[in-house]
Amino acid sequence: LRQEVGPETAVLGFVGCPYTLATYIVEGKTSKEYLEIKKMALNEPDLLHAILQQLADNIGDYALFQIENGAQLIQIFDSWAGHLSPRDYNTFAAPYQKQILDK
């Protein structure tokens, strides 16, 4: 893509982070209260961590693919992580965001 648009045009990539994508997977749609993902975090944290890990691996690969194909900048968003308590953010969002950045 970089070759097709030339050096004057910026090429941006874009990925969602694991917690936000997991929220959509578990909730099945957008939500105001996020009850299903909260229940999973409380009652089945190992399952949620497995989902988050799989997403982090794939999202990291996809971000690298975008970079390898000309993206000069990758925007990473985690819209629903802002609804987590600091403790839950450190448990269910931050480690998986870091995995993507470290890849």
Side-chain angles (χ1 to χ4, degrees), residues 41-61:
L42 180 65
N43 299 322
E44 299 181 90
D46 291 342
L47 176 58
L48 181 53
H49 282 294
I51 293 168
L52 294 167
Q53 184 60 60
Q54 185 67 43
L55 287 168
D57 290 340
N58 288 312
I59 293 164
D61 289 344

Side-chain angles (χ1 to χ4, degrees), residues 13 16 31 37 83:
S31 174
I37 193 89
H83 294 270

Side-chain angles (χ1 to χ4, degrees), residues 19-20 23 30-34 37-38 78-86 88-89 93:
Y19 185 78
T20 291
T23 298
T30 191
S31 174
K32 291 192 187 270
E33 276 120 34
Y34 313 99
I37 193 89
K38 289 177 183 177
D78 207 348
S79 305
W80 305 131
H83 294 270
L84 294 169
S85 69
D88 286 344
Y89 176 83

Side-chain angles (χ1 to χ4, degrees), residues 3-79:
Q3 294 171 351
E4 291 180 30
V5 299
E8 299 83 27
T9 304
V11 177
L12 308 177
F14 184 82
V15 295
C17 278
Y19 185 78
T20 291
L21 296 181
T23 298
Y24 284 117
I25 291 167
V26 172
E27 296 289 334
K29 60 185 177 188
T30 191
S31 174
K32 291 192 187 270
E33 276 120 34
Y34 313 99
L35 294 177
E36 297 306 315
I37 193 89
K38 289 177 183 177
K39 285 193 277 186
M40 182 179 279
L42 180 65
N43 299 322
E44 299 181 90
D46 291 342
L47 176 58
L48 181 53
H49 282 294
I51 293 168
L52 294 167
Q53 184 60 60
Q54 185 67 43
L55 287 168
D57 290 340
N58 288 312
I59 293 164
D61 289 344
Y62 185 53
L64 287 174
F65 174 80
Q66 292 180 59
I67 292 166
E68 290 164 357
N69 286 279
Q72 297 161 297
L73 175 75
I74 301 289
Q75 178 181 355
I76 299 173
F77 75 94
D78 207 348
S79 305

